Amino acid sequence: MICLIQRVKSGKVLIDGKIYAKIGKGYVILVGFYQDDNENIVSKMAEKIANLRIMADENGKMNFNLLQVGGEILLVSQFTLCADTSQRRPSFIKALKEEEAKKLYQILIKKLQEKNLVVKTGSFGNYMIVEIINDGPVTIILDSKDF
């Protein structure tokens, strides 16, 4: 499982030119699932996201987690994060099949909400325009292979 987390002033997802979801300050998280991912990995990732201290304190230092600043999450599925780019054309054979990935995506949403985080989502498997106003910019990659 891989998450690309961007600290944002705001973010939104548009589908067919209409706003599907939007947040103020917080994280836009792009998430991809690999074939060997499971609910245990999703739980660990949710814990990591909830406790990640990348929100700025009054001195601009990254000392606060999302809950401490009342931030929100915009969670967007993105299987292309699982691309194998060893060739000219990316291969996505390492990505989890859509039906199974959707289940893990729903579990991740639930686990984050259980930690009292406000989670808004993109539309799984659909074409979306994602607008992000970066804050910093701060971009962190969390890869489950690292834990």
Side-chain angles (χ1 to χ4, degrees), residues 52-120:
L52 192 62
R53 291 178 17 187
I54 61 171
M55 298 304 285
D57 64 14
E58 60 279 353
N59 297 314
K61 303 277 186 199
M62 290 190 277
N63 277 326
F64 294 135
N65 66 37
L66 206 51
L67 273 176
Q68 291 172 304
V69 298
E72 304 170 285
I73 292 173
L74 179 56
L75 187 66
V76 179
S77 63
Q78 189 172 353
F79 78 95
T80 59
L81 287 172
C82 300
D84 176 351
T85 57
S86 60
Q87 302 295 315
R88 290 184 190 174
R89 183 172 185 225
S91 166
F92 303 103
I93 60 173
K94 294 179 182 178
L96 190 60
K97 300 286 184 232
E98 184 177 355
E99 188 175 303
E100 296 169 53
K102 189 171 186 175
K103 288 178 188 173
L104 292 183
Y105 181 71
Q106 294 298 328
I107 291 168
L108 179 59
I109 294 165
K110 182 180 175 199
K111 299 246 180 227
L112 290 168
Q113 289 171 334
E114 287 172 356
K115 297 182 179 313
N116 297 316
L117 293 165
V118 174
V119 181
K120 298 184 181 169

